[in-house]
Amino acid sequence: MEISSHLEFAAPPADVYAMLTDQKFLDEVCAASGSSSYNASVEGSITKTSRTLPAPESAARFTGPTVTVNEEVAWGNGSADGSRGGAVTMTVLGQPVGFKATAQLAPGGRGTVLDIVGELKVAIPLLGRKLEEATAPAIIAGYQTQQEVGDRWLAT
């Protein structure tokens, strides 16, 4: 199932990239997402987060009350205007769920746009599509949390 998210930040691409790869920013996003526990790290241009979150209601009978979501974003080099691409990989620990996407950071909108487009796959025969439909809103909500935390971050 294809999922896309469009975020806009009121800062130039270089500032937004610096924010997206800042340990404290990642910690704030994890905390704001309702994680009961989390770990975030930055290694050069690669960010990694692991968050334990309440399972979507429709999936809880398969997963239990919580899920651990691991996300890695590997950013490429920036161009002269600050734009850059990235690869997003998201998995759910112990579950046949994966999200692979591209991220594109570029000048636009209020200063910088971040477009994420990818494919969510739940590899469970017969139920996979229904679980994808149930899981997609949680992924989109996660990016909305990133937008909200980013707006506060850039305002200070």
Side-chain angles (χ1 to χ4, degrees), residues 32-33 35-36 39 43 49 54-55 64 66 68 73 77 89 91 99 101 106-107 113 132 154-155:
S33 68
S35 304
S36 59
N39 184 37
E43 300 168 16
T49 60
T66 62
T68 299
V73 181
N77 294 327
T89 305
T91 59
F99 178 63
V113 295
E132 290 168 4
L154 292 168

Side-chain angles (χ1 to χ4, degrees), residues 33-37 51-69 92-93 95 138:
S33 68
S35 304
S36 59
S37 65
R51 295 176 264 190
T52 300
L53 301 160
E57 189 175 313
S58 60
R61 73 178 212 201
F62 301 104
T63 64
T66 62
V67 293
T68 299
V69 178
V92 178
L93 186 65
Q95 301 298 322

Side-chain angles (χ1 to χ4, degrees), residues 10 18 23 27 30 41 44-45 53-54 58-59 82 95 100 111 132 134 136 152:
Q23 175 75 46
D27 287 340
C30 289
S41 65
S45 62
L53 301 160
S58 60
Q95 301 298 322
K100 292 193 181 281
E132 290 168 4
R152 286 192 305 270

